[in-house]
Amino acid sequence: MSDQKLSATKAGNKLKLPRSVGKGRQVDAKALTEIQALLGDEARQRDLLIEHLHKIQDTYQHISAAHLVALAREMKLSKAEVYEVATFYHHFDVIKEDDAPPPALTVRVCESLTCEMMGAEGLINSLESSLGDGVRVQRVPCIGRCDKAPVAVVGMNPIEHADVATVADAVNNNAIEPEKLEAIDYEKYIEQGGYSTYQLCINETYNVDKVLDAMSDSGLRGLGGAGFPAGRKWRIVREQPEPKLMAVNIDEGEPGTFKDKYYLERDPHCFLEGMLIAAWATGINEVYIYLRDEYAAIRQLLEKEIAKLIANPPVNTLPMIHLRRGAGAYICGEESAMIESIEGKRGMPRLRPPFVAQVGLFGRPTLEHNMETLYWVRDILEKGPSCLTDHGRHDRVGLRSFSVSGRVNKPGVHLAPAGITMRELIAEYCDGMQEGHEFYGYFPGGASGGILPASLGDVPLDFDTLQPHGCFIGSAAIIVFSNQDKARNLAVNAMKFFEDESCGQCTPCRVGTAKAVTLMKQETWDTTLLEELSEVMIDASICGLGQAAPNPVRSVVKYFAEELETGGVK
């Protein structure tokens, strides 16, 4: 008896011949050749999965089943693993085997809070009826240009203050490439004395302890929204065992937020120098920068400027710098979800403890920072902590970058004293309300920060000042609305955003946001049921998305009850 038949007999007299092929869909030879050519000599390591998926999407404008299987083979991953990552992110068009690929060109129109106020719904309807069959019109969440609402993106080219004519012109003229940015480049930055502070750190002119003291004395807090003291975070990470890593969060997907974009478009090396100083102070030799995919022009800029920095470094050795590309997932603004994404996985928040400072990226102690936090490091060391502490109003200290959009005459990023009130910000920095619009209310911290009425327009805007009113400032994304808007409809928009962006990991968030949207679309709100639902989401959700999602609901019930009596626009 052959060895094969003998094995089958021992297994229970049922002959099990070896499979000549693997289970499931087989690798297509043509697709495998295309994937191999696309990846070239680049590494096939696990954490580059999302980067390689981007290559397929950019080249073919979609990701076919055959390419997914070929990529899985090439990276030695399971097909299920590759598929679940590809389908998690909004920017990957994964096409099933028998489905037709999407049109060659996609026009994306933002439908988040400010764009909705400025007419995005009408723009979407008009584009759907006027553009040809070869163009797909797609509704998308905030793309970080709220001050130029409404906004459409043709290919990778953003169209600000968009209307049918400007979008059609971009489509007809094939204007699909990212805009060109006129930022301070490496050469100009060096001419202006750039990286001299970093050099002083490296040659030990600056003492690490004194640098840490300066960070603490400045009062600088995490400017991504959490507000954790930067100096304290540096000390915690410095005490951790090596090797240590840094993860820089530039995913700012909060509707209403665009401050990181503003600074990077103008002076990327100020951020990069602060990043390098933070790495030096905490003993880190490898840095990962996570940039949201909507910032295509900034990605090109950073790729070019980081290459210059590495080719002609201001010191003998630099930490390794990796630029990683997000793929359209708001949840990846949460630090642990971002870390999962950098590792090439779905952006699912981790349970804590352990905290990322102890067990973070690739299981190592990790310093996680928002881009803007690092942007201020150089100024603090060069000018002293007083460059921040000399500012402030209403018993608050510091400066804040307010991303202001909505019904004001001068939207944009406004650097203003911490503790400034909403009325002061509108009058002194935004040139007042638009003609015909009366200040009615505002989101002080983006979609998740809750909603306040105009009657609370004199509350200082800063960390810890808004919690008594059921709100928070977060990343200081201010959305101003007027008496021509309805708070309840804006709250529905915010909750729909959370429903779409929930990662689905925990039931309170996944089911709660969907149920809340259904209840909020009713002409009469069941406020008792909505409050019960809110309590469950706040108490039981794993991360801040589900915990903060009820804030707009509760705000409307608390401050805009008259709208619930009269009904809103469905």
Side-chain angles (χ1 to χ4, degrees):
M1 182 181 294
S2 69
D3 291 341
Q4 191 178 77
K5 290 184 178 180
L6 179 62
S7 297
T9 302
K10 290 180 178 179
N13 297 320
K14 186 176 180 180
L15 186 61
K16 293 184 179 179
L17 297 177
R19 296 180 61 92
S20 59
V21 294
K23 294 181 179 180
R25 183 185 175 92
Q26 302 309 302
V27 178
D28 178 82
K30 179 175 179 292
L32 182 59
T33 300
E34 290 171 343
I35 293 297
Q36 290 171 338
L38 203 57
L39 270 55
D41 295 331
E42 293 194 36
R44 270 62 166 172
Q45 63 200 50
R46 174 68 177 78
D47 58 287
L48 292 176
L49 173 57
I50 293 173
E51 295 295 308
H52 294 336
L53 287 169
H54 273 302
K55 292 181 178 66
I56 303 172
Q57 178 71 41
D58 291 346
T59 302
Y60 298 99
Q61 285 74 55
H62 68 279
I63 303 176
S64 68
H67 281 145
L68 279 179
V69 173
L71 182 63
R73 165 69 70 84
E74 192 67 12
M75 296 188 71
K76 296 180 172 59
L77 299 172
S78 72
K79 287 169 277 191
E81 192 172 9
V82 174
Y83 179 81
E84 72 175 7
V85 171
T87 54
F88 180 86
Y89 295 93
H90 298 317
H91 290 184
F92 296 140
D93 286 316
V94 179
I95 306 302
K96 295 180 181 179
E97 185 174 358
D98 297 325
D99 290 348
L105 180 61
T106 295
V107 174
R108 297 175 174 86
V109 183
C110 174
E111 62 172 357
S112 288
L113 289 162
T114 308
C115 283
E116 181 186 87
M117 282 195 287
M118 299 302 177
E121 185 64 30
L123 175 62
I124 292 169
N125 293 335
S126 297
L127 290 174
E128 287 176 339
S129 61
S130 62
L131 296 179
D133 293 337
V135 180
R136 174 179 57 166
V137 178
Q138 192 175 65
R139 298 168 180 266
V140 297
C142 185
I143 57 177
R145 296 174 183 270
C146 315
D147 54 332
K148 305 293 193 306
V151 180
V153 180
V154 179
M156 292 186 178
N157 178 33
I159 310 297
E160 299 174 340
H161 301 300
D163 56 29
V164 174
T166 55
V167 173
D169 182 66
V171 170
N172 294 332
N173 290 293
N174 201 34
I176 61 174
E177 294 302 315
E179 61 198 320
K180 300 300 181 183
L181 300 177
E182 299 295 331
I184 296 174
D185 62 13
Y186 183 66
E187 295 79 9
K188 184 68 173 178
Y189 190 74
I190 293 293
E191 285 178 15
Q192 296 175 349
Y195 291 107
S196 59
T197 302
Y198 178 52
Q199 290 171 333
L200 292 173
C201 293
I202 295 298
N203 65 27
E204 298 184 356
T205 301
Y206 280 1
N207 177 273
V208 173
D209 290 329
K210 290 184 178 180
V211 167
L212 295 174
D213 288 341
M215 292 298 297
S216 297
D217 293 344
S218 72
L220 182 66
R221 297 173 65 169
L223 298 174
F228 192 86
R232 191 191 310 171
K233 181 181 285 191
W234 287 22
R235 292 182 189 278
I236 292 171
V237 175
R238 182 171 174 79
E239 293 171 355
Q240 303 303 312
E242 295 184 353
K244 294 173 280 191
L245 305 172
M246 182 191 294
V248 182
N249 192 339
I250 321 179
D251 192 57
E252 58 173 4
E254 181 75 34
T257 306
F258 46 92
K259 62 181 179 60
D260 293 353
K261 171 181 169 292
Y262 174 87
Y263 288 116
L264 283 172
E265 287 179 341
R266 288 157 176 79
D267 195 355
H269 287 281
C270 185
F271 146 65
L272 291 171
E273 184 170 8
M275 178 188 79
L276 293 174
I277 292 170
W280 162 79
T282 53
I284 286 168
N285 58 15
E286 197 162 357
V287 179
Y288 288 79
I289 302 171
Y290 189 83
L291 178 69
R292 71 179 308 201
D293 196 32
E294 287 84 350
Y295 293 169
I298 292 175
R299 184 174 68 253
Q300 291 184 348
L301 174 68
L302 284 177
E303 287 173 346
K304 180 175 68 174
E305 296 304 317
I306 290 172
K308 292 179 182 179
L309 174 64
I310 294 172
N312 186 25
V315 299
N316 289 333
T317 58
L318 290 174
M320 292 183 64
I321 303 173
H322 308 271
L323 180 60
R324 291 295 173 85
R325 181 176 172 184
Y330 167 71
I331 190 63
C332 290
E334 196 275 340
E335 61 177 6
S336 66
M338 176 190 67
I339 284 172
E340 290 285 297
S341 189
I342 292 173
E343 293 179 356
K345 305 171 187 174
R346 294 176 295 167
M348 296 283 199
R350 297 175 179 176
L351 292 172
R352 284 170 284 192
F355 298 97
V356 299
Q358 301 165 314
V359 182
L361 188 57
F362 305 118
R364 300 307 309 163
T366 302
L367 177 66
E368 188 276 341
H369 263 316
N370 169 254
M371 189 290 302
E372 195 205 345
T373 310
L374 297 169
Y375 186 88
W376 294 110
V377 169
R378 186 197 67 185
D379 278 1
I380 291 170
L381 298 186
E382 289 182 357
K383 302 175 183 178
S386 61
C387 71
L388 297 184
T389 58
D390 282 353
H391 302 274
R393 289 189 190 177
H394 305 294
D395 299 321
R396 308 301 298 180
V397 177
L399 287 169
R400 293 304 305 269
S401 301
F402 294 96
S403 305
V404 185
S405 63
R407 305 294 191 181
V408 295
N409 284 318
K410 188 181 177 183
V413 174
H414 299 294
L415 185 63
I420 193 171
T421 69
M422 192 66 247
R423 291 188 187 279
E424 291 171 340
L425 189 62
I426 292 172
E428 298 175 31
Y429 290 84
C430 303
D431 292 348
M433 297 291 293
Q434 292 178 352
E435 185 176 354
H437 291 269
E438 179 183 335
F439 179 37
Y440 179 47
Y442 62 107
F443 289 75
S448 61
I451 313 173
L452 292 175
S455 61
L456 290 175
D458 294 320
V459 176
L461 296 171
D462 197 13
F463 292 115
D464 312 318
T465 61
L466 302 174
Q467 280 83 340
H469 306 286
C471 296
F472 59 81
I473 194 169
S475 59
I478 308 287
I479 303 171
V480 182
F481 58 95
S482 77
N483 57 341
Q484 296 188 26
D485 305 299
K486 282 190 174 291
R488 62 172 285 162
N489 296 331
L490 295 174
V492 173
N493 182 295
M495 187 61 75
K496 184 66 170 65
F497 170 80
F498 295 131
E499 178 191 11
D500 293 339
E501 296 296 329
S502 173
C503 74
Q505 180 177 190
C506 64
T507 302
C509 178
R510 181 184 68 250
V511 177
T513 52
K515 181 65 174 176
V517 168
T518 301
L519 292 172
M520 294 168 70
K521 285 184 176 180
Q522 302 299 315
E523 183 171 346
T524 301
W525 283 15
D526 186 337
T527 56
T528 301
L529 184 55
L530 278 168
E531 178 56 27
E532 291 176 358
L533 187 61
S534 296
E535 289 178 358
V536 172
M537 293 171 66
I538 292 168
D539 292 342
S541 294
I542 290 174
C543 80
L545 190 154
Q547 294 164 9
N551 286 340
V553 183
R554 288 179 150 183
S555 296
V556 170
V557 174
K558 184 175 182 179
Y559 298 117
F560 301 92
E562 70 280 359
E563 291 190 14
L564 303 181
E565 297 171 2
T566 59
V569 179
K570 294 183 180 179

